[in-house]
Amino acid sequence: MSNPELEARNAALRGQVDTMLANLERQTAQLKQAQAEAMAKVGRATSQDGLVEVTVNAGGIVTGVRFAPAAFERSTPEKLGQSVVTTIQQAALSAREQADAALAPYQQGIPDLPDLFPGMPSLKDLIPTPPPIVQSQPQQSDDEPPESFMDRRGGQW
């Protein structure tokens, strides 16, 4: 092979590598932006009876709990506690679904570093996998009408 021919091939190869690196930088920037958007998602849920409202961030951390003014009159501590847990789980699931949707385009169909350069780490490893949300089953209520713990005088609760 002649020297000009080698130089031409070398230049073409450099051009391909430069294009691949530019694409990698663009994809990395897009992934970082998508991660920031995913982490900014907020899940909100309200209990079926409307007594509890919960806000949860994308990391699953409860950032707000509000009780309706009648919450302590219309419910017992046990039922209210279960309602809080169930509502937190619903809000966390909502936040997770929103975060997953923001990251979905980057988790499928895009060539990854190991596809281009064997032995390189995967960009998909940069996306943390959150733990699963375990939903509790609401406790079955007795046939008795709801009793307010505010009406209990001298009793233990």
Side-chain angles (χ1 to χ4, degrees):
M1 235 182 248
S2 67
N3 196 20
E5 202 175 305
L6 284 174
E7 287 178 16
R9 285 186 175 186
N10 193 16
L13 186 57
R14 272 192 227 139
Q16 288 176 343
V17 169
D18 289 344
T19 299
M20 289 169 63
L21 289 174
N23 286 337
L24 175 62
E25 287 176 15
R26 179 182 49 78
Q27 287 178 345
T28 302
Q30 289 174 340
L31 178 60
K32 285 181 181 179
Q33 182 174 344
Q35 285 176 317
E37 288 175 18
M39 292 311 295
K41 299 299 181 185
V42 174
R44 288 187 179 82
T46 302
S47 62
Q48 286 183 333
D49 57 12
L51 298 178
V52 180
E53 180 183 300
V54 175
T55 305
V56 176
N57 68 18
I61 306 298
V62 176
T63 59
V65 176
R66 292 177 44 120
F67 295 100
F72 299 106
E73 296 169 7
R74 292 180 36 204
S75 187
T76 64
E78 295 80 18
K79 290 178 184 176
L80 195 55
Q82 182 60 41
S83 183
V84 168
V85 170
T86 301
T87 307
I88 286 171
Q89 291 170 344
Q90 290 169 348
L93 185 59
S94 171
R96 167 81 55 81
E97 289 170 347
Q98 291 177 57
D100 287 349
L103 294 173
Y106 302 95
Q107 295 174 330
Q108 54 188 322
I110 296 177
D112 204 359
L113 279 178
D115 300 333
L116 305 172
F117 304 104
M120 293 295 292
S122 172
L123 289 177
K124 294 173 184 170
D125 293 339
L126 297 176
I127 301 171
T129 303
I133 295 173
V134 179
Q135 293 188 344
S136 66
Q137 298 297 321
Q139 296 178 347
Q140 297 295 324
S141 62
D142 300 329
D143 292 329
E144 298 177 24
E147 178 185 340
S148 170
F149 75 91
M150 298 292 281
D151 292 336
R152 297 181 188 179
R153 306 271 193 251
Q156 196 172 330
W157 40 280

